[in-house]
Each structure stands twice: as C-alpha cells, then as structure tokens.
Coordinates of all heavy atoms in Angstrom, one line a residue:
M1 N 131.8 23.8 -109.5 CA 132.2 25.2 -109.7 C 132.6 25.3 -111.1 O 133.5 24.5 -111.6 CB 133.3 25.5 -108.7 CG 133.8 26.9 -108.9 SD 135.2 27.4 -107.8 CE 134.6 27.0 -106.2
D2 N 132.1 26.2 -111.8 CA 132.5 26.5 -113.2 C 133.6 27.5 -113.3 O 133.4 28.6 -112.9 CB 131.2 27.0 -114.0 CG 131.5 27.2 -115.5 OD1 132.6 26.7 -116.0 OD2 130.7 27.9 -116.1
L3 N 134.7 27.1 -113.8 CA 135.9 28.0 -113.9 C 136.2 28.4 -115.3 O 137.3 28.9 -115.6 CB 137.1 27.3 -113.3 CG 137.0 26.9 -111.8 CD1 138.2 26.1 -111.4 CD2 136.8 28.1 -110.9
T4 N 135.3 28.2 -116.2 CA 135.5 28.5 -117.6 C 135.8 30.0 -117.9 O 136.6 30.3 -118.8 CB 134.4 28.1 -118.5 OG1 133.2 28.7 -118.1 CG2 134.2 26.6 -118.6
D5 N 135.3 30.9 -117.0 CA 135.5 32.3 -117.2 C 136.8 32.8 -116.5 O 137.2 33.9 -116.6 CB 134.4 33.1 -116.7 CG 133.1 33.0 -117.5 OD1 133.3 32.6 -118.7 OD2 132.0 33.2 -117.0
S6 N 137.4 31.9 -115.7 CA 138.6 32.3 -114.9 C 139.8 32.3 -115.9 O 140.0 31.4 -116.7 CB 138.9 31.3 -113.8 OG 137.8 31.3 -112.9
P7 N 140.7 33.3 -115.7 CA 141.9 33.3 -116.5 C 142.8 32.1 -116.1 O 142.9 31.7 -115.0 CB 142.6 34.6 -116.2 CG 142.0 35.0 -114.8 CD 140.6 34.4 -114.8
E8 N 143.5 31.6 -117.1 CA 144.5 30.5 -116.8 C 145.7 31.1 -116.1 O 146.2 32.1 -116.5 CB 144.9 29.9 -118.2 CG 145.6 28.6 -118.0 CD 145.7 27.8 -119.3 OE1 144.8 27.8 -120.1 OE2 146.8 27.3 -119.5
M9 N 146.1 30.3 -115.1 CA 147.3 30.8 -114.3 C 148.4 29.8 -114.7 O 148.4 28.7 -114.3 CB 147.0 30.8 -112.8 CG 145.9 31.8 -112.4 SD 145.6 31.8 -110.7 CE 144.4 30.5 -110.6
G10 N 149.4 30.3 -115.4 CA 150.5 29.5 -115.8 C 151.6 29.5 -114.7 O 151.5 30.0 -113.6
T11 N 152.7 28.9 -115.1 CA 153.9 28.8 -114.2 C 154.4 30.2 -113.8 O 154.9 30.3 -112.7 CB 155.0 28.0 -114.8 OG1 155.4 28.5 -116.0 CG2 154.6 26.5 -115.0
D12 N 154.3 31.2 -114.7 CA 154.8 32.5 -114.3 C 154.0 33.1 -113.2 O 154.6 33.7 -112.3 CB 154.6 33.4 -115.6 CG 155.3 34.8 -115.4 OD1 156.5 34.7 -114.9 OD2 154.8 35.8 -115.7
F13 N 152.7 32.9 -113.1 CA 151.9 33.4 -112.0 C 152.4 32.8 -110.7 O 152.6 33.5 -109.7 CB 150.4 33.0 -112.2 CG 149.5 33.2 -111.0 CD1 149.0 34.5 -110.8 CD2 149.2 32.2 -110.1 CE1 148.3 34.8 -109.6 CE2 148.5 32.5 -109.0 CZ 148.0 33.7 -108.8
F14 N 152.6 31.5 -110.7 CA 153.0 30.8 -109.4 C 154.4 31.1 -109.1 O 154.8 31.1 -107.9 CB 152.8 29.3 -109.6 CG 151.3 28.9 -109.6 CD1 150.7 28.6 -110.8 CD2 150.6 28.9 -108.4 CE1 149.3 28.3 -110.8 CE2 149.2 28.6 -108.4 CZ 148.6 28.3 -109.6
R15 N 155.2 31.5 -110.0 CA 156.6 31.9 -109.7 C 156.6 33.2 -109.0 O 157.4 33.4 -108.1 CB 157.4 31.9 -111.0 CG 158.9 31.9 -110.8 CD 159.7 31.8 -112.2 NE 159.3 30.8 -113.0 CZ 158.8 30.9 -114.3 NH1 158.6 32.1 -114.8 NH2 158.4 29.9 -115.0
R16 N 155.7 34.1 -109.4 CA 155.7 35.4 -108.8 C 154.8 35.5 -107.6 O 154.9 36.5 -106.8 CB 155.1 36.4 -109.8 CG 156.1 36.7 -111.0 CD 155.5 37.7 -111.9 NE 154.3 37.1 -112.5 CZ 153.3 37.7 -113.0 NH1 153.2 39.0 -113.0 NH2 152.3 37.0 -113.5
A17 N 154.0 34.5 -107.3 CA 153.1 34.5 -106.2 C 153.9 34.5 -104.9 O 154.9 33.9 -104.7 CB 152.2 33.3 -106.3
K18 N 153.3 35.3 -103.9 CA 153.9 35.4 -102.6 C 153.0 34.7 -101.6 O 151.8 34.9 -101.6 CB 154.1 36.8 -102.2 CG 155.1 37.6 -103.0 CD 155.2 39.0 -102.6 CE 156.2 39.7 -103.5 NZ 156.3 41.1 -103.2
V19 N 153.6 33.9 -100.7 CA 152.8 33.2 -99.7 C 152.6 34.2 -98.5 O 153.6 34.7 -98.0 CB 153.5 31.9 -99.2 CG1 152.8 31.3 -98.1 CG2 153.7 31.0 -100.4
V20 N 151.4 34.4 -98.1 CA 151.1 35.3 -97.0 C 150.5 34.5 -95.9 O 149.4 33.9 -96.0 CB 150.2 36.4 -97.4 CG1 149.9 37.3 -96.2 CG2 150.7 37.2 -98.6
L21 N 151.3 34.3 -94.8 CA 150.8 33.5 -93.7 C 150.1 34.4 -92.7 O 150.5 35.5 -92.5 CB 152.0 32.8 -93.1 CG 152.8 31.8 -94.0 CD1 154.0 31.3 -93.2 CD2 151.9 30.7 -94.4
P22 N 149.1 33.9 -92.1 CA 148.4 34.7 -91.0 C 149.4 34.9 -89.8 O 150.3 34.1 -89.6 CB 147.2 33.8 -90.6 CG 147.6 32.4 -91.0 CD 148.5 32.6 -92.2
A23 N 149.1 35.9 -89.1 CA 149.9 36.2 -87.9 C 149.7 35.1 -86.9 O 148.6 34.5 -86.8 CB 149.5 37.5 -87.3
P24 N 150.7 34.7 -86.2 CA 150.5 33.6 -85.2 C 149.6 34.0 -84.1 O 149.5 35.2 -83.7 CB 151.9 33.3 -84.7 CG 152.7 34.5 -85.0 CD 152.1 35.2 -86.2
K25 N 148.8 33.1 -83.6 CA 147.8 33.4 -82.6 C 148.5 33.2 -81.2 O 149.5 32.5 -81.1 CB 146.7 32.5 -82.7 CG 145.8 32.7 -83.9 CD 144.5 32.0 -83.9 CE 143.7 32.5 -85.0 NZ 143.4 31.8 -86.1
E26 N 148.0 33.9 -80.2 CA 148.6 33.9 -78.9 C 147.9 32.8 -78.1 O 146.7 32.7 -78.1 CB 148.4 35.2 -78.2 CG 149.1 35.2 -76.8 CD 149.1 36.6 -76.2 OE1 148.9 37.6 -77.0 OE2 149.4 36.7 -75.0
R27 N 148.7 31.9 -77.5 CA 148.1 30.9 -76.7 C 147.7 31.5 -75.3 O 148.6 32.1 -74.6 CB 149.1 29.7 -76.5 CG 148.5 28.6 -75.7 CD 149.6 27.5 -75.5 NE 149.9 26.9 -76.8 CZ 149.4 25.7 -77.3 NH1 148.6 25.0 -76.4 NH2 149.7 25.3 -78.4
I28 N 146.5 31.3 -74.9 CA 146.1 31.7 -73.5 C 145.2 30.6 -72.9 O 144.9 29.6 -73.5 CB 145.2 33.0 -73.6 CG1 143.9 32.7 -74.4 CG2 146.0 34.1 -74.3 CD1 142.8 33.8 -74.3
T29 N 145.0 30.8 -71.6 CA 144.0 30.0 -70.9 C 142.8 30.8 -70.5 O 143.0 31.9 -70.0 CB 144.7 29.4 -69.6 OG1 145.9 28.7 -70.0 CG2 143.8 28.5 -68.8
I30 N 141.7 30.3 -70.8 CA 140.5 31.1 -70.5 C 139.4 30.1 -69.9 O 139.3 29.0 -70.3 CB 139.9 31.8 -71.8 CG1 138.7 32.7 -71.5 CG2 139.6 30.8 -72.9 CD1 138.3 33.5 -72.7
R31 N 138.7 30.6 -69.0 CA 137.6 29.8 -68.4 C 136.3 30.3 -69.0 O 135.9 31.5 -68.9 CB 137.6 29.9 -66.9 CG 138.8 29.4 -66.3 CD 138.8 29.5 -64.7 NE 140.0 29.1 -64.1 CZ 140.3 27.9 -63.8 NH1 139.5 26.9 -64.1 NH2 141.5 27.6 -63.3
L32 N 135.5 29.4 -69.5 CA 134.2 29.7 -70.1 C 133.1 28.8 -69.5 O 133.4 27.7 -69.1 CB 134.3 29.5 -71.7 CG 135.3 30.3 -72.4 CD1 135.4 29.8 -73.9 CD2 135.0 31.7 -72.4
D33 N 131.9 29.3 -69.5 CA 130.8 28.5 -69.1 C 130.6 27.3 -70.0 O 130.9 27.4 -71.2 CB 129.5 29.4 -69.1 CG 129.5 30.5 -68.1 OD1 130.2 30.5 -67.2 OD2 128.7 31.5 -68.4
R34 N 130.2 26.2 -69.4 CA 130.0 24.9 -70.1 C 129.2 25.1 -71.3 O 129.4 24.6 -72.4 CB 129.5 23.9 -69.1 CG 129.0 22.6 -69.8 CD 130.0 21.8 -70.5 NE 131.3 21.6 -69.7 CZ 132.4 21.3 -70.3 NH1 132.5 21.2 -71.6 NH2 133.5 21.2 -69.6
E35 N 128.0 25.8 -71.2 CA 127.1 26.0 -72.3 C 127.7 26.7 -73.5 O 127.4 26.5 -74.6 CB 125.8 26.6 -71.9 CG 125.8 27.9 -71.2 CD 125.9 27.8 -69.7 OE1 126.2 26.8 -69.1 OE2 125.7 28.9 -69.1
I36 N 128.7 27.6 -73.2 CA 129.4 28.4 -74.2 C 130.3 27.4 -75.0 O 130.2 27.4 -76.2 CB 130.2 29.5 -73.7 CG1 129.3 30.5 -72.9 CG2 131.0 30.2 -74.7 CD1 128.3 31.2 -73.8
V37 N 131.0 26.6 -74.3 CA 131.9 25.6 -74.9 C 131.1 24.6 -75.7 O 131.4 24.3 -76.9 CB 132.8 25.0 -73.9 CG1 133.6 23.9 -74.5 CG2 133.7 26.0 -73.2
D38 N 130.0 24.1 -75.1 CA 129.2 23.2 -75.8 C 128.6 23.7 -77.1 O 128.6 23.1 -78.1 CB 128.0 22.7 -74.9 CG 128.5 21.8 -73.8 OD1 129.6 21.3 -73.8 OD2 127.7 21.6 -72.8
Y39 N 128.2 25.0 -77.1 CA 127.6 25.6 -78.2 C 128.7 25.7 -79.4 O 128.4 25.3 -80.5 CB 127.2 27.1 -77.9 CG 126.8 27.8 -79.2 CD1 125.6 27.6 -79.8 CD2 127.7 28.7 -79.8 CE1 125.2 28.3 -80.9 CE2 127.4 29.4 -80.9 CZ 126.1 29.2 -81.5 OH 125.8 29.9 -82.6
F40 N 129.9 26.1 -79.1 CA 130.9 26.3 -80.1 C 131.4 24.9 -80.6 O 131.7 24.8 -81.7 CB 132.0 27.2 -79.6 CG 131.7 28.6 -79.7 CD1 131.3 29.3 -78.5 CD2 131.6 29.3 -80.9 CE1 131.0 30.6 -78.6 CE2 131.2 30.6 -80.9 CZ 130.9 31.3 -79.8
R41 N 131.5 24.0 -79.7 CA 131.9 22.6 -80.1 C 130.8 22.0 -81.1 O 131.1 21.4 -82.1 CB 132.0 21.7 -78.9 CG 133.4 21.9 -78.2 CD 133.6 20.9 -77.2 NE 135.0 21.0 -76.7 CZ 135.3 20.7 -75.4 NH1 134.5 20.3 -74.6 NH2 136.6 20.9 -75.1
G42 N 129.5 22.3 -80.8 CA 128.5 21.8 -81.6 C 128.5 22.5 -83.0 O 128.4 21.8 -84.0
R43 N 128.8 23.8 -83.0 CA 128.9 24.5 -84.3 C 130.1 24.0 -85.1 O 130.0 23.8 -86.3 CB 129.1 26.0 -84.1 CG 128.0 26.8 -83.6 CD 126.8 26.9 -84.7 NE 127.2 27.5 -85.9 CZ 126.9 28.8 -86.2 NH1 126.3 29.6 -85.4 NH2 127.3 29.3 -87.4
S44 N 131.2 23.7 -84.5 CA 132.3 23.2 -85.2 C 132.1 21.8 -85.7 O 132.6 21.5 -86.8 CB 133.6 23.2 -84.3 OG 133.5 22.3 -83.3
E45 N 131.3 21.0 -85.0 CA 131.0 19.7 -85.5 C 130.1 19.7 -86.7 O 130.2 19.0 -87.7 CB 130.4 18.8 -84.4 CG 131.4 18.4 -83.3 CD 130.7 17.7 -82.2 OE1 129.5 17.4 -82.2 OE2 131.4 17.4 -81.2
E46 N 129.1 20.7 -86.7 CA 128.2 20.8 -87.8 C 128.8 21.5 -89.0 O 128.5 21.0 -90.1 CB 127.0 21.7 -87.3 CG 126.1 21.1 -86.3 CD 125.1 22.1 -85.7 OE1 124.9 23.2 -86.3 OE2 124.5 21.8 -84.7
E47 N 129.6 22.5 -88.8 CA 130.1 23.3 -89.9 C 131.5 23.1 -90.2 O 132.0 23.7 -91.2 CB 129.7 24.7 -89.7 CG 128.2 24.9 -89.4 CD 127.6 26.2 -89.8 OE1 128.2 26.8 -90.7 OE2 126.6 26.5 -89.3
G48 N 132.3 22.4 -89.4 CA 133.7 22.3 -89.6 C 134.5 23.3 -88.9 O 134.0 24.3 -88.5
G49 N 135.8 23.1 -88.8 CA 136.7 24.0 -88.1 C 136.7 23.6 -86.6 O 135.8 22.9 -86.1
G50 N 137.7 24.1 -85.9 CA 137.8 23.8 -84.5 C 136.9 24.8 -83.7 O 136.7 25.9 -84.1
Y51 N 136.5 24.3 -82.6 CA 135.6 25.2 -81.7 C 136.4 26.4 -81.3 O 135.8 27.5 -81.1 CB 135.0 24.4 -80.6 CG 136.0 24.1 -79.4 CD1 136.0 25.0 -78.3 CD2 136.9 23.1 -79.4 CE1 136.8 24.7 -77.2 CE2 137.7 22.8 -78.4 CZ 137.7 23.7 -77.3 OH 138.5 23.4 -76.2
Q52 N 137.7 26.3 -81.0 CA 138.4 27.5 -80.6 C 138.5 28.5 -81.8 O 138.5 29.8 -81.5 CB 139.9 27.1 -80.2 CG 139.8 26.3 -78.9 CD 141.2 25.8 -78.6 OE1 142.0 25.5 -79.4 NE2 141.4 25.5 -77.3
S53 N 138.6 28.1 -83.0 CA 138.6 29.0 -84.2 C 137.2 29.7 -84.3 O 137.1 30.9 -84.6 CB 138.8 28.2 -85.5 OG 140.1 27.7 -85.4
W54 N 136.1 29.0 -83.9 CA 134.8 29.6 -83.9 C 134.7 30.7 -82.8 O 134.2 31.8 -83.1 CB 133.7 28.6 -83.6 CG 133.3 27.8 -84.9 CD1 133.8 26.7 -85.4 CD2 132.3 28.3 -85.8 NE1 133.2 26.4 -86.6 CE2 132.2 27.3 -86.8 CE3 131.4 29.4 -85.8 CZ2 131.3 27.4 -87.9 CZ3 130.5 29.4 -86.9 CH2 130.5 28.5 -87.9
I55 N 135.2 30.4 -81.7 CA 135.2 31.4 -80.6 C 136.1 32.6 -81.0 O 135.6 33.8 -80.9 CB 135.8 30.8 -79.3 CG1 134.8 29.7 -78.7 CG2 136.0 31.9 -78.2 CD1 135.4 28.9 -77.6
N56 N 137.2 32.4 -81.6 CA 138.1 33.5 -82.1 C 137.3 34.3 -83.1 O 137.4 35.5 -83.1 CB 139.4 32.9 -82.6 CG 140.4 34.0 -83.0 OD1 140.9 34.7 -82.1 ND2 140.6 34.2 -84.3
A57 N 136.7 33.6 -84.1 CA 136.0 34.4 -85.1 C 134.9 35.3 -84.6 O 134.7 36.4 -85.0 CB 135.4 33.4 -86.2
V58 N 134.1 34.7 -83.6 CA 133.0 35.5 -83.0 C 133.6 36.7 -82.3 O 133.1 37.8 -82.4 CB 132.2 34.6 -82.1 CG1 131.2 35.5 -81.2 CG2 131.4 33.6 -82.9
L59 N 134.7 36.5 -81.5 CA 135.3 37.6 -80.7 C 135.9 38.6 -81.7 O 135.8 39.8 -81.5 CB 136.3 37.1 -79.8 CG 135.8 36.3 -78.6 CD1 137.0 35.6 -77.8 CD2 135.0 37.2 -77.7
K60 N 136.5 38.2 -82.8 CA 137.1 39.1 -83.7 C 136.0 40.0 -84.4 O 136.2 41.2 -84.5 CB 137.8 38.3 -84.8 CG 138.7 39.1 -85.7 CD 139.5 38.2 -86.6 CE 140.8 38.8 -87.0 NZ 141.6 37.9 -87.8
R61 N 134.9 39.3 -84.7 CA 133.8 40.1 -85.3 C 133.2 41.1 -84.3 O 132.9 42.2 -84.7 CB 132.7 39.1 -85.8 CG 131.6 39.6 -86.6 CD 132.0 39.6 -88.0 NE 130.9 40.1 -88.9 CZ 130.3 39.3 -89.7 NH1 130.6 38.1 -89.8 NH2 129.3 39.8 -90.4
Y62 N 133.1 40.7 -83.1 CA 132.6 41.6 -82.0 C 133.5 42.8 -81.8 O 133.0 43.9 -81.8 CB 132.4 40.8 -80.7 CG 132.0 41.7 -79.6 CD1 130.7 42.2 -79.4 CD2 132.9 42.1 -78.6 CE1 130.3 43.0 -78.4 CE2 132.6 42.9 -77.6 CZ 131.3 43.4 -77.5 OH 131.0 44.2 -76.5
V63 N 134.8 42.5 -81.7 CA 135.8 43.6 -81.5 C 135.7 44.5 -82.7 O 135.8 45.8 -82.6 CB 137.2 43.0 -81.3 CG1 138.2 44.1 -81.3 CG2 137.2 42.3 -79.9
G64 N 135.7 44.0 -83.9 CA 135.6 44.8 -85.1 C 134.4 45.7 -85.1 O 134.5 46.9 -85.5
S65 N 133.3 45.2 -84.7 CA 132.1 46.0 -84.6 C 132.2 47.1 -83.6 O 131.8 48.2 -83.8 CB 130.9 45.1 -84.2 OG 129.7 45.8 -84.1
C66 N 132.8 46.8 -82.4 CA 133.0 47.8 -81.4 C 134.0 48.9 -81.9 O 133.7 50.1 -81.6 CB 133.6 47.1 -80.1 SG 132.5 46.1 -79.2
L67 N 135.0 48.5 -82.6 CA 136.0 49.5 -83.1 C 135.3 50.4 -84.1 O 135.6 51.6 -84.2 CB 137.2 48.8 -83.7 CG 138.1 48.1 -82.7 CD1 139.2 47.3 -83.4 CD2 138.7 49.0 -81.7
E68 N 134.5 49.8 -85.0 CA 133.8 50.6 -86.0 C 132.8 51.6 -85.3 O 132.8 52.7 -85.7 CB 133.0 49.7 -86.9 CG 132.3 50.4 -88.0 CD 133.2 51.1 -89.0 OE1 134.4 50.7 -89.2 OE2 132.8 52.2 -89.5
S69 N 132.1 51.1 -84.3 CA 131.2 52.0 -83.6 C 132.0 53.1 -82.9 O 131.6 54.3 -82.9 CB 130.5 51.2 -82.5 OG 129.6 50.3 -83.0
E70 N 133.2 52.8 -82.4 CA 134.0 53.8 -81.7 C 134.5 54.9 -82.8 O 134.5 56.1 -82.5 CB 135.2 53.2 -81.0 CG 136.1 54.1 -80.3 CD 135.4 54.8 -79.1 OE1 134.4 54.3 -78.6 OE2 136.0 55.7 -78.6
R71 N 134.9 54.4 -84.0 CA 135.3 55.3 -85.0 C 134.2 56.2 -85.4 O 134.3 57.4 -85.6 CB 135.8 54.5 -86.2 CG 137.2 54.0 -86.1 CD 137.8 53.5 -87.4 NE 137.2 52.2 -87.8 CZ 137.6 51.1 -87.4 NH1 138.6 50.9 -86.7 NH2 137.0 50.0 -87.9
E72 N 133.0 55.7 -85.6 CA 131.8 56.5 -85.9 C 131.5 57.5 -84.9 O 131.2 58.6 -85.2 CB 130.6 55.6 -86.2 CG 130.7 54.8 -87.5 CD 130.8 55.6 -88.7 OE1 130.1 56.6 -88.8 OE2 131.7 55.3 -89.6
R73 N 131.6 57.1 -83.6 CA 131.3 58.0 -82.5 C 132.3 59.2 -82.5 O 132.0 60.3 -82.4 CB 131.4 57.3 -81.2 CG 131.0 58.1 -80.0 CD 131.1 57.3 -78.7 NE 132.5 57.0 -78.3 CZ 133.3 57.9 -77.8 NH1 132.9 59.2 -77.6 NH2 134.5 57.6 -77.4
L74 N 133.6 58.8 -82.8 CA 134.6 59.9 -82.8 C 134.5 60.8 -84.0 O 134.7 62.0 -83.9 CB 136.0 59.2 -82.8 CG 136.4 58.5 -81.5 CD1 137.8 57.8 -81.7 CD2 136.5 59.5 -80.4
K75 N 134.0 60.2 -85.1 CA 133.7 61.1 -86.3 C 132.6 62.1 -86.0 O 132.7 63.2 -86.4 CB 133.3 60.2 -87.5 CG 134.3 59.7 -88.3 CD 133.7 59.0 -89.5 CE 134.6 58.0 -90.2 NZ 133.9 57.3 -91.3
G76 N 131.6 61.6 -85.3 CA 130.5 62.5 -84.9 C 131.0 63.6 -84.0 O 130.6 64.7 -84.1
K77 N 131.8 63.3 -83.0 CA 132.4 64.3 -82.1 C 133.2 65.3 -83.0 O 133.1 66.5 -82.7 CB 133.3 63.7 -81.1 CG 132.6 63.1 -79.9 CD 133.6 62.7 -78.9 CE 133.0 62.3 -77.6 NZ 134.0 61.9 -76.6
S78 N 134.0 64.8 -83.9 CA 134.8 65.7 -84.7 C 133.9 66.6 -85.5 O 134.2 67.8 -85.6 CB 135.7 64.9 -85.6 OG 136.5 65.7 -86.4
R79 N 132.8 66.1 -86.1 CA 131.9 66.9 -86.9 C 131.3 68.0 -86.0 O 131.1 69.1 -86.4 CB 130.8 66.1 -87.5 CG 131.3 65.3 -88.7 CD 130.1 64.6 -89.4 NE 130.6 63.5 -90.1 CZ 130.2 62.2 -89.9 NH1 129.2 62.0 -89.0 NH2 130.7 61.2 -90.5
R80 N 130.9 67.6 -84.8 CA 130.2 68.6 -83.9 C 131.2 69.7 -83.5 O 130.9 70.9 -83.5 CB 129.7 67.9 -82.6 CG 128.4 67.1 -82.9 CD 127.8 66.6 -81.6 NE 128.6 65.6 -80.9 CZ 128.6 64.3 -81.1 NH1 127.8 63.8 -82.1 NH2 129.3 63.5 -80.4
R81 N 132.5 69.3 -83.3 CA 133.5 70.3 -82.9 C 133.7 71.3 -84.1 O 133.8 72.5 -83.9 CB 134.8 69.6 -82.6 CG 134.8 69.0 -81.2 CD 136.2 68.6 -80.8 NE 136.1 67.7 -79.7 CZ 136.7 66.5 -79.6 NH1 137.5 66.1 -80.6 NH2 136.6 65.7 -78.6
S82 N 133.8 70.7 -85.3 CA 134.0 71.5 -86.5 C 132.8 72.5 -86.7 O 133.1 73.7 -87.0 CB 134.1 70.7 -87.8 OG 135.2 69.8 -87.7
K83 N 131.6 72.0 -86.5 CA 130.4 72.9 -86.6 C 130.5 74.0 -85.5 O 130.2 75.2 -85.8 CB 129.1 72.1 -86.5 CG 128.8 71.3 -87.7 CD 127.5 70.5 -87.6 CE 127.3 69.7 -88.8 NZ 126.0 68.9 -88.6
A84 N 130.9 73.6 -84.3 CA 131.0 74.6 -83.2 C 132.0 75.7 -83.5 O 131.8 76.9 -83.3 CB 131.3 73.9 -81.9
K85 N 133.2 75.3 -84.1 CA 134.2 76.2 -84.5 C 133.7 77.1 -85.6 O 134.0 78.3 -85.5 CB 135.5 75.5 -84.9 CG 136.2 74.9 -83.7 CD 137.5 74.2 -84.2 CE 138.2 73.5 -83.1 NZ 139.5 72.8 -83.5
L86 N 133.0 76.6 -86.5 CA 132.5 77.5 -87.6 C 131.5 78.5 -87.0 O 131.5 79.7 -87.4 CB 131.8 76.6 -88.6 CG 132.6 75.9 -89.6 CD1 131.8 75.0 -90.5 CD2 133.4 76.8 -90.5
K87 N 130.7 78.1 -86.1 CA 129.7 79.1 -85.4 C 130.5 80.1 -84.7 O 130.1 81.3 -84.7 CB 128.8 78.3 -84.5 CG 127.7 77.6 -85.2 CD 126.7 77.0 -84.2 CE 125.7 76.2 -84.9 NZ 124.7 75.6 -83.9
E88 N 131.6 79.8 -84.0 CA 132.4 80.7 -83.3 C 133.0 81.7 -84.2 O 133.0 82.9 -83.9 CB 133.5 80.0 -82.5 CG 133.1 79.2 -81.3 CD 134.2 78.4 -80.7 OE1 135.4 78.7 -81.0 OE2 133.9 77.6 -79.8
R89 N 133.5 81.3 -85.3 CA 134.1 82.2 -86.3 C 133.1 83.2 -86.9 O 133.4 84.3 -87.2 CB 134.8 81.4 -87.4 CG 136.0 80.7 -87.0 CD 136.6 79.9 -88.1 NE 137.7 79.1 -87.6 CZ 138.2 78.1 -88.3 NH1 137.7 77.8 -89.5 NH2 139.1 77.3 -87.7
R90 N 131.9 82.7 -87.0 CA 130.8 83.6 -87.7 C 130.4 84.7 -86.7 O 129.9 85.7 -87.1 CB 129.6 82.7 -88.0 CG 129.9 81.8 -89.2 CD 128.6 81.1 -89.5 NE 128.9 80.0 -90.5 CZ 128.2 79.0 -90.7 NH1 127.2 78.7 -90.0 NH2 128.6 78.1 -91.6
I91 N 130.5 84.5 -85.4 CA 130.0 85.5 -84.4 C 130.9 86.7 -84.4 O 132.0 86.8 -84.7 CB 129.9 84.8 -83.0 CG1 128.8 83.8 -83.1 CG2 129.6 85.8 -82.0 CD1 128.6 83.0 -81.8

C-alpha cells in the first residue's frame, strides 16, 4: 500500500482522536439448519472472521435492504397522496 499521498498524522492528531467502539451485540440462542451453519463456517475459514460475524453481516445487510425498500414504498405513498390532494384542490 502506497501511503506517500497520505497526510502525516502527528501526536496532535492522536491526542485529539476519539475512540468509537461498536455497540455491544446481544447474545441469543438460535437454531439453524446444518447446511446454513456449514456454509458460514466455510466462508469464515476461507475469508477470515467468525462464522457468527458472517451470519450477523448477512442479516444486517438483509434488514438494511428491507428498511430501504420500506422507505421507498412509503415515499411513493406520500407522493401519491400529495398528487391526489393537488387534484382535489384543482377541482
């Protein structure tokens, strides 16, 4: 990795830096099909990280996608309501 274009970070930078820790995860018990566990264990062995972290990452991505879809759906409803209100006012 070439860092020649990166600005130098002196002691002042590190003195002002704030450590931001991730929120603690909740411990749960979950039952999964064997093939699901095997898949994620295999991925973690190939690419690093724990298999539970892989499962969490996939679920997080899925939930994020669902929430984004829901926001878009609600935006569409809001636009349709606004258009309907404009039509009512014109009549």
Side-chain angles (χ1 to χ4, degrees):
M1 179 185 304
D2 182 15
L3 300 176
T4 54
D5 293 335
S6 299
E8 193 170 318
M9 293 181 278
T11 56
D12 190 46
F13 170 82
F14 290 102
R15 198 175 307 118
R16 289 179 296 154
K18 293 180 183 174
V19 176
V20 179
L21 299 174
K25 293 189 166 108
E26 184 171 345
R27 181 181 295 258
I28 64 167
T29 300
I30 185 171
R31 294 181 187 275
L32 300 171
D33 294 337
R34 169 62 45 204
E35 56 269 17
I36 300 298
V37 175
D38 290 344
Y39 171 80
F40 283 104
R41 281 188 173 148
R43 286 296 297 262
S44 70
E45 288 173 7
E46 291 171 16
E47 306 210 21
Y51 76 97
Q52 292 172 334
S53 296
W54 276 92
I55 294 170
N56 187 69
V58 168
L59 289 172
K60 191 174 206 173
R61 190 85 178 250
Y62 174 77
V63 169
S65 176
C66 289
L67 293 173
E68 182 63 30
S69 295
E70 183 68 13
R71 281 192 288 272
E72 290 300 317
R73 188 181 70 74
L74 292 174
K75 273 188 203 176
K77 276 187 173 181
S78 178
R79 284 189 207 120
R80 287 191 293 275
R81 284 188 196 132
S82 296
K83 286 180 182 179
K85 285 182 181 179
L86 283 174
K87 283 183 181 180
E88 287 174 12
R89 289 181 188 162
R90 290 182 189 156
I91 294 176

